[in-house]
Amino acid sequence: MSIRNPKQKLYEQFAIVAKALGHPQRLELIEHLAQGPRSVEALAMKLGLPIANVSQHLQTLRRAGLLSAERDGKFVNYRLVDDSGLAAFASVRTVAERHLAEVDRIVRGYFEARDDMEPVTRQELAMRMRDGLVTVIDVRPPDEFALGHVPGAINVPLGDLPARLAELGKDREIVAYCRGPWCVMSFEAVAALRSHGYAARRLADGMPEWRAAGMPVEVAA
């Protein structure tokens, strides 16, 4: 079949993906789904949005080829087709971090105010875990922890941290992680731990990136 201006036709298809990524709530949905499949209802609760709104965002991502869906009884579960959706999100984030002044202002004003230390890389964390040098805490909610977590990590949701400080010894450094490199919960956890005299750092990214890099993942029984 002859196609007039095939390059233009290809770019039109590429633009469908770019447009699907061009919404903050759809980016947040990708981050959640990079942790594992979720229902529309569960995602709506996570984002604090009406189910109808979340369903529309999911359909847009699905039409762009980023998501698949399968029915489980009366629920429809969505998942990322593969890691390319998360990689696309990471590329958008990298460009924004390098070139948008507002991103730099937010990072300096909020995130670095809570943690300006060099975070721990995945490779460094894996080595330090192997040598028994760190305690790893996952500060995500229990349902996200159950979908998959760093092997040996302790689930300490951010809201529970003050009441569970006594469980965390001060003899080893604590490394906290959550959903991604700019996940507020890990920054807040590290700031809280340091204020109580604990040596604490963040993982440089989060569970989605850990999984996508092929690092070992443990699933709750």
Side-chain angles (χ1 to χ4, degrees):
M1 182 177 67
S2 177
I3 300 177
R4 178 176 293 182
N5 199 344
K7 179 181 176 182
Q8 180 65 33
K9 293 296 184 182
L10 278 177
Y11 280 21
E12 288 173 3
Q13 297 305 303
F14 298 160
I16 291 173
V17 178
K19 289 177 182 177
L21 294 171
H23 194 288
Q25 288 162 355
R26 291 199 282 270
L27 294 178
E28 193 171 1
L29 285 168
I30 289 174
E31 185 175 71
H32 276 288
L33 290 169
Q35 300 178 100
R38 305 307 292 261
S39 69
V40 181
E41 292 76 8
L43 291 166
M45 185 173 296
K46 290 288 182 184
L47 272 64
L49 294 174
I51 291 174
N53 289 21
V54 172
S55 182
Q56 289 177 358
H57 288 313
L58 291 169
Q59 289 300 321
T60 298
L61 291 168
R62 187 181 183 187
R63 286 193 293 270
L66 297 170
L67 305 184
S68 63
E70 58 184 26
R71 183 166 291 279
D72 180 14
K74 64 179 182 179
F75 297 104
V76 176
N77 291 326
Y78 285 83
R79 67 176 69 237
L80 290 183
V81 170
D82 54 31
D83 291 333
S84 62
L86 183 63
F89 180 9
S91 296
V92 170
R93 188 181 67 231
T94 297
V95 172
E97 289 168 351
R98 290 179 179 175
H99 302 296
L100 295 183
E102 181 65 9
V103 171
D104 184 65
R105 187 189 71 80
I106 294 169
V107 169
R108 291 177 181 275
Y110 181 88
F111 292 97
E112 289 187 0
R114 285 154 179 78
D115 177 27
D116 59 358
M117 287 182 64
E118 189 73 21
V120 179
T121 66
R122 291 189 295 269
Q123 295 74 17
E124 181 185 356
L125 179 59
M127 289 189 296
R128 301 194 72 195
M129 288 171 60
R130 182 192 62 204
D131 296 337
L133 299 176
V134 294
T135 297
V136 182
I137 64 170
D138 183 321
V139 297
R140 298 175 299 161
D143 63 312
E144 296 177 36
F145 180 81
L147 289 173
H149 51 269
V150 173
I154 303 168
N155 188 207
V156 185
L158 181 62
D160 297 346
L161 182 59
R164 296 180 61 183
L165 286 173
E167 297 177 28
L168 307 173
K170 294 185 177 181
D171 56 326
R172 293 193 295 183
E173 183 178 56
I174 298 171
V175 176
Y177 74 89
C178 58
R179 295 176 188 137
W182 299 117
C183 180
V184 169
M185 293 183 291
S186 60
F187 283 84
E188 295 287 356
V190 165
L193 286 164
R194 289 179 188 159
S195 72
H196 286 86
Y198 291 82
R201 283 200 290 168
R202 292 179 298 107
L203 180 62
D205 39 41
M207 193 61 216
E209 293 79 13
W210 177 276
R211 186 192 294 272
M215 304 295 281
V217 175
E218 187 172 78
V219 178

